[in-house]
Amino acid sequence: MKETRISQSADPANGHHNPSVGFVGLGLMGGPMAANLLKAGWKVRAWNRSPGAVEDVVGLGGSRAEAVADLRNEPIIVFMLPDLPFIEEAATDLLDAWRSEPPKPGTAVVIMSSVSPTDVRHFGERVHQASGGNAVVVDAPVSGGTTGAASGNLAIMVGSTEGDFERLRPLLEAMGTTVRRMGLLGSGSLAKACNQLIVGTTTAALAEAAELAERSGMDVDALYEVLAGGLAGSRVLEWVGTRLAAKDYTPTGPAKFMHKDLAFVLQSASRAGTVMPMAAAARRLYASLIDQGLGDLDLAVVRETVARLSDGHGAVPLNEMDVL
């Protein structure tokens, strides 16, 4: 596959004062990310399945796309949907339009969702073929939750060529403060999978610690306070500890997505020949969370799953291999 350079007309660093971007997916993360692009001077043309979120973007100075295919002439199109199958479905008419009339050379499709490192490379090949070689896919998943999305302090892990990364840097730095190229396409998604392995297992461990402490007569807030001052202190504890202690499961992002992300960890581990016992155990736990009907609540709800399992309500299947 030949390298496709991202159009320099999309780069505000090259003196273009009104860079333009299409944005697909305005959920809990995508909406604030699009808003930050507008604040940074980008012209944002947005599409979302639910029109209300688009109205918010229009109110901030953006514009509406009636269909994803209407974004076919944008130099950059960002996708922020729950998973790659949603992206592939949303992009169907866009790719059909490009087959009829290829986009300008250097068009970039930026996948900022958490997706399979393997599958995003296959998607890149399909986009390359549909666009006549004129469009490139870059994976740039994010970490930082809704707070980071709103403040523009996301960590963004990028899989692309060095040249494409530099041309996309102004876009990405409008949404994040830690922006790193991890390698070629798929590397950003692999880095995000590693991130989720740590976040998912650490949150589960904190949930278990909270249940153990409370059922033993200990104050969970006091436990977390002393843990934060020692070696067990972490950004995960800072981020989710308060909600775990308070049993506050108001969604900041659906817990069910952790089960999906851990599948990507195991898929990648299988390809690399790496044993991942903690990832496999955590995925079984998050499968139980979904089975309990808790998947749409905050990740902190894994504490409720631990509590229900402790009370004998269901069991974590011990023979599930969890490898796709």
Side-chain angles (χ1 to χ4, degrees), residues 156-160 165 180-184 187-188 191:
I156 305 178
M157 299 150 264
V158 185
S160 72
F165 173 70
R180 296 289 183 271
R181 175 179 176 265
M182 310 306 297
L184 296 177
S187 300

Side-chain angles (χ1 to χ4, degrees), residues 205-228 237 240-247 303:
L206 288 167
E208 292 181 7
E211 281 300 298
L212 175 61
E214 185 172 281
R215 290 169 185 249
S216 301
M218 187 184 299
D219 181 74
V220 176
D221 286 310
L223 173 66
Y224 282 171
E225 181 179 352
V226 73
L227 292 180
L237 175 55
V240 78
T242 300
R243 298 197 300 280
L244 282 167
K247 301 181 183 179
R303 179 177 177 184

Side-chain angles (χ1 to χ4, degrees), residues 273-297:
T274 305
V275 175
M276 307 289 283
M278 291 184 67
R283 188 162 190 255
R284 291 194 294 268
L285 178 61
Y286 287 103
S288 293
L289 183 152
I290 293 171
D291 288 343
Q292 293 171 355
L294 304 175
D296 290 327
L297 299 177

Side-chain angles (χ1 to χ4, degrees), residues 104-255:
K104 292 181 181 180
T107 297
V109 175
V110 185
I111 307 299
M112 302 196 74
S113 317
S114 297
V115 301
S116 161
T118 300
D119 293 347
V120 77
R121 288 191 287 268
H122 295 327
F123 182 64
E125 293 171 0
R126 291 194 293 276
V127 169
H128 180 83
Q129 293 169 1
S131 67
N134 287 351
V136 62
V137 171
V138 170
D139 62 324
V142 304
S143 180
T146 53
T147 300
S151 63
N153 291 328
L154 293 169
I156 305 178
M157 299 150 264
V158 185
S160 72
T161 66
E162 184 66 40
D164 291 341
F165 173 70
E166 290 302 326
R167 287 165 177 79
L168 277 173
R169 187 190 288 271
L171 173 96
L172 301 174
E173 290 184 344
M175 297 178 282
T177 51
T178 302
V179 180
R180 296 289 183 271
R181 175 179 176 265
M182 310 306 297
L184 296 177
L185 178 61
S187 300
S189 297
L190 180 59
K192 179 58 184 291
C194 292
N195 179 88
Q196 295 301 84
L197 168 63
I198 295 167
V199 172
T201 56
T202 303
T203 302
L206 288 167
E208 292 181 7
E211 281 300 298
L212 175 61
E214 185 172 281
R215 290 169 185 249
S216 301
M218 187 184 299
D219 181 74
V220 176
D221 286 310
L223 173 66
Y224 282 171
E225 181 179 352
V226 73
L227 292 180
L231 194 58
S234 70
R235 290 290 299 275
V236 178
L237 175 55
E238 293 174 14
W239 174 68
V240 78
T242 300
R243 298 197 300 280
L244 282 167
K247 301 181 183 179
D248 177 6
Y249 307 137
T250 305
T252 62

Side-chain angles (χ1 to χ4, degrees), residues 77-111:
I77 305 172
V78 172
F79 283 87
M80 192 62 183
L81 296 173
D83 198 359
L84 193 58
F86 293 90
I87 294 170
E88 292 173 321
E89 179 183 357
T92 298
D93 291 344
L94 173 68
L95 297 189
D96 286 344
W98 282 350
R99 290 185 185 96
S100 300
E101 183 179 346
K104 292 181 181 180
T107 297
V109 175
V110 185
I111 307 299

